Amino acid sequence: MNIDRYMIKDTDGKILHKLDPNDTGGLKSKTDADSKMIALKDRLAELQDIFFAQKKHALLIVLQGMDSSGKDGTVKHVFSGINPQGFTVTSFKKPTLDESAHDFLWRVHKQTPAKGYISAFNRSHYEEVLVPRVHEGQDKAETKRRFRHIRHFEEMLSEENTIIIKLFLHISKEKQLEKIQERLQDPTKHWKFDVSDLEERKYWDDYQEAYEDIFKETATGYAPWYWIPANHRWFRNYLALNIVVKTLEQLDLAYPKLNSPTPDISELISPRH
Amino acid sequence: MNIDRYMIKDTDGKILHKLDPNDTGGLKSKTDADSKMIALKDRLAELQDIFFAQKKHALLIVLQGMDSSGKDGTVKHVFSGINPQGFTVTSFKKPTLDESAHDFLWRVHKQTPAKGYISAFNRSHYEEVLVPRVHEGQDKAETKRRFRHIRHFEEMLSEENTIIIKLFLHISKEKQLEKIQERLQDPTKHWKFDVSDLEERKYWDDYQEAYEDIFKETATGYAPWYWIPANHRWFRNYLALNIVVKTLEQLDLAYPKLNSPTPDISELISPRH
């Protein structure tokens, strides 16, 4: 599949209305994707094994999106087959007092993956140019400054061998309402319902505008943004998994070789031992 | 005292030979400094109290210098009167395996001070453009890139309210030998002697050259370098303390005011309570 179509490039700050949350990349139904998902997950496990052994790169996957866009579900369905020893998920909530007393990248930098490891950020430093902007009157100069710091930070990570991909889960406003209603009706989903989600919906346009700026300011070659049509869960998972696999495939992955000449095993198993 | 004289500005990459490690800023002897040290330490304690209460800025003091230049001693003598609740020292040693598996700023960023706090770094991220360069063949492009990352990192910290001062303890090669001999002769200092210090002395010129580049590339308005003549311990401590105090005095320090109107205390102590 061609993932390039979903990479956000050269935006003028007005693209979201052109991106269809119902897009399914030409696939007709969940069944079409399901059969390919199994092979893709095997491939991911295979690549991760080499990635972990080689310890040359780290991989950071940033997940952002409106409430109910499916960040938790994406983590669950895309990475359920991965070796958990080499994988971590960090969910960034409202900053604690200690976190707020540091620069906004402090808590994020602490959680970046080591070489050989894959990390998913469920929300991230991008929250710091969303919530304070929509709700706390963060001024334009400050948002601008933070964009610059984010670019510098991601550039540094990238030059120090961390591969970064950023996924924006794109749902429609109608779909969001549908999902919130689902949470109210399905007893197994009640725990996910938060009355503040309805409150936040009033700021839908402000958040979308803030995202437009995020794409404009931080879609870089070293840390690209992909938009993931997310009205259909199955396509959301399928595309996200494809992007992760393709990203790993583009690296020069190889199991490390022995440093020294191969020891003569017959020596080790000789009667003398 | 005029600390500006010791700030490193607009260097062309060849300044160390012009800076006298025996300089004492016009003071004639330790006695001259001693009487002033007491008042200065009181002043530091006073300023730190407001700094801690206000929680508006953080203060990061980076200490660098050749082996035996007196980094430990400076921490001990300059900060011995400070309230330890608002003060931390981090000594950066050889990176651990986990630290090496992350970008070179990762372990440093974790230790940066929160607002209200003062941190001293005994060695720092600057080691990463010293040791690998002198011993591990770090190439020019990589050193250059790291300088850029360091500037960006310090600029970000600074714009997010961390005041940064960087102190280079400047001793002469002869003085270093004297101090190493002292460690060998004084039983209370034997523990400080490390045979690798003698080995490292062979690379004196390489280290000095690396420091010249550090000053050239990272002496910025937002994170200035000061050179501290360090052949005389007493002047080293006196100057370092002066720089810390002057830096704090330049901030708009003030105890925070009550947010709400002062409660009527007579209410609280009335018979009804």
Side-chain angles (χ1 to χ4, degrees), chain B residues 213-271:
Chain B
D213 282 351
I214 284 176
F215 303 141
K216 199 171 147 192
E217 297 274 356
T218 67
T220 56
Y222 49 82
W225 275 106
Y226 293 91
W227 69 281
I228 312 279
N231 273 8
H232 298 287
R233 277 166 241 221
W234 60 268
F235 184 69
R236 173 199 77 197
N237 297 337
Y238 176 68
L239 176 58
L241 181 52
N242 262 290
I243 291 171
V244 174
V245 167
K246 287 271 153 75
T247 302
L248 287 171
E249 278 177 342
Q250 278 155 26
L251 302 175
D252 50 345
L253 295 183
Y255 284 107
K257 297 209 172 68
L258 282 175
N259 277 327
S260 43
T262 314
D264 184 349
I265 292 179
S266 63
E267 273 286 305
L268 298 173
I269 53 172
S270 76

Side-chain angles (χ1 to χ4, degrees), chain B residues 149-175:
Chain B
H149 296 321
I150 289 174
R151 283 193 303 269
H152 286 162
F153 173 61
E154 293 179 349
E155 185 189 36
M156 183 276 293
L157 288 178
S158 153
E159 293 186 0
E160 297 271 325
N161 280 355
T162 297
I163 314 299
I164 307 171
I165 46 183
K166 301 180 293 197
L167 311 181
F168 172 70
L169 308 188
H170 183 41
I171 54 165
S172 62
K173 198 173 176 186
E174 300 69 43
K175 189 70 186 182

Side-chain angles (χ1 to χ4, degrees), chain A residues 98 100-106 109-115 142 145-146 148-149 152 155-157 159-160, chain B residues 98 100-106 109-115 142 145-146 148-149 152 155-157 159-160:
Chain A
D98 187 35
S100 302
H102 288 88
D103 66 85
F104 75 106
L105 293 170
W106 183 76
H109 199 173
K110 283 205 287 183
Q111 303 296 336
T112 51
K115 281 171 197 157
E142 167 130 31
R145 203 163 63 216
R146 290 197 163 183
R148 177 163 45 83
H149 296 321
H152 285 163
E155 185 188 38
M156 183 277 293
L157 288 178
E159 291 185 359
E160 297 273 324
Chain B
D98 187 35
S100 302
H102 287 88
D103 67 85
F104 75 106
L105 293 170
W106 183 76
H109 200 173
K110 284 206 285 184
Q111 303 296 338
T112 52
K115 282 172 198 158
E142 167 130 31
R145 203 163 63 218
R146 290 195 163 183
R148 177 162 46 83
H149 296 321
H152 286 162
E155 185 189 36
M156 183 276 293
L157 288 178
E159 293 186 0
E160 297 271 325

Side-chain angles (χ1 to χ4, degrees), chain A residues 38-51 59 61 77-83 87 118 241 244-245 248-249:
Chain A
I38 299 163
L40 271 171
K41 281 196 180 186
D42 287 348
R43 182 74 181 129
L44 174 59
E46 201 174 82
L47 290 163
Q48 187 208 4
D49 200 60
I50 314 176
F51 187 83
L59 174 61
I61 301 153
H77 292 288
V78 171
F79 299 109
S80 54
I82 212 165
N83 179 350
F87 181 70
I118 300 176
L241 181 51
V244 174
V245 167
L248 288 170
E249 279 177 342

